[in-house]
Amino acid sequence: MSSPATPRVLSGIQPTADSFHLGNYLGALRQWVALQDDHQAFYCVVDLHAITVEHSPEALRRRTKVAAAQLIAMGVDPERSTLFLQSHVPEHAELAWVLSCLTGYGEAGRMTQFKDKSAKQGLAAASVGLFTYPILMAADILLYSPEPGEGRVLRVPVGDDQSQHLELTRDLGGRFNHRFGETFVLPEAYIPQGAARIRDLQEPTVKMSKSASSPQGIVELLEEPGPLRKKIMRSVTDTGTEIRYDEESKPGVTNLLRIYSALDGASVAELERRYTGQGYGQLKKDLAQLVLDTFTPIKERTERLLGDEKQLDRILADGAARAGAVAARTMEVVRERVGFVGRGL
């Protein structure tokens, strides 16, 4: 059991692909495992967020299970963390409605991700769900707020693309507290140690992303060994032959060194010395093997978990029960303070 002062951490990931990728793993998910050691961790597969765009129901169900299995396979321990599916805890949607009634239209419209995505697909095609996505994200976080006065903090691992959403969460939580009484501990941004910004293997000046990268620019966690090795061997490098970290003139080699360092634990400077006088081919060959050594056991554990769906369902049901108990306590306070009439049972 965690002590009253143990900080809480909340993080989620969308099930919008058939596999997580190297950027997900090194940028966030590996840190989820480490955070279990000194936090009360709540981790969710945010399947409600996944339906803000057109989707296949069958694919969503499959990808949600695959996402949960991968998280467990890479080290998220259901005994030490609360792992659950967002849609299994209905209070997420309920609190999102309450918070949406505290959110100004202009405030929601300033969210960068909505502006970017609606510009790409056209405003007429953008759903209201896409517009209110950050408000649901705020609800995801605030539902797991410790009670004020407990001495706990609530931390949210964030990257550059999520910092604006966390600020909205803090604004909405503070606004609720001001209008209805102290209810939420405002979350803190948390930048995990060891998080790495991984770039596209074919365009090393941009982030590795399932929505923006080409298939050849992404290394998937569940990828077969042959295609995985080929992608790394064909990754874009730079003019010259020197293996040196330089964001400006050598973005390709710099990306490979960053990946290698994150997986191996050696510093970039140490890797530069290790590969002095060697060509890009040797670096790529060694990196491909290192990635395979890291991902193969995760892939095998994922496949075993998916082979026993009843056990996976039990794990997720247990996580939903634990998350639901916390969410229900939060919503009981929210309902009373907003002015909703209790059921009287």
Side-chain angles (χ1 to χ4, degrees), residues 159-198:
D160 295 339
D161 58 345
Q162 297 295 342
S163 58
Q164 189 186 37
H165 292 167
L166 185 62
E167 283 307 308
L168 178 66
T169 302
R170 290 177 56 84
D171 289 344
L172 294 178
R175 194 171 302 158
F176 189 100
N177 290 347
H178 178 73
R179 293 191 188 180
F180 302 112
E182 200 70 18
T183 304
F184 299 115
V185 171
L186 302 187
E188 301 176 354
Y190 183 69
I191 310 299
Q193 292 184 342
R197 295 181 180 180
I198 305 305

Side-chain angles (χ1 to χ4, degrees), residues 116-248:
D116 290 348
K117 290 182 179 180
S118 61
K120 287 179 182 177
Q121 63 189 51
L123 196 58
S127 70
V128 174
L130 185 62
F131 184 70
T132 59
Y133 175 105
I135 303 170
L136 177 56
M137 184 180 293
D140 298 337
I141 297 166
L142 293 174
L143 266 181
Y144 302 95
S145 168
E147 292 184 24
E150 273 190 349
R152 277 188 182 152
V153 297
L154 176 62
R155 293 173 175 157
V156 181
V158 293
D160 295 339
D161 58 345
Q162 297 295 342
S163 58
Q164 189 186 37
H165 292 167
L166 185 62
E167 283 307 308
L168 178 66
T169 302
R170 290 177 56 84
D171 289 344
L172 294 178
R175 194 171 302 158
F176 189 100
N177 290 347
H178 178 73
R179 293 191 188 180
F180 302 112
E182 200 70 18
T183 304
F184 299 115
V185 171
L186 302 187
E188 301 176 354
Y190 183 69
I191 310 299
Q193 292 184 342
R197 295 181 180 180
I198 305 305
R199 306 297 186 183
D200 186 303
L201 294 182
Q202 293 300 312
E203 296 184 60
T205 58
V206 301
K207 177 182 174 181
M208 185 180 288
S209 165
K210 199 70 179 178
S211 60
S213 299
S214 69
Q216 293 306 310
I218 295 177
V219 173
E220 296 186 336
L221 193 149
L222 301 181
E223 195 148 9
E224 292 297 325
L228 186 154
R229 193 184 298 275
K230 188 176 294 184
K231 285 181 181 180
I232 293 176
M233 294 304 296
R234 292 180 176 177
S235 60
V236 168
T237 46
D238 315 284
T239 57
T241 59
E242 185 182 8
I243 295 175
R244 174 170 53 86
Y245 191 99
D246 186 328
E247 291 271 13
E248 296 299 321

Side-chain angles (χ1 to χ4, degrees), residues 240-262:
T241 59
E242 185 182 8
I243 295 175
R244 174 170 53 86
Y245 191 99
D246 186 328
E247 291 271 13
E248 296 299 321
S249 63
K250 286 182 170 288
V253 172
T254 295
N255 189 41
L256 298 182
L257 287 170
R258 188 184 291 120
I259 294 168
Y260 204 128
S261 176

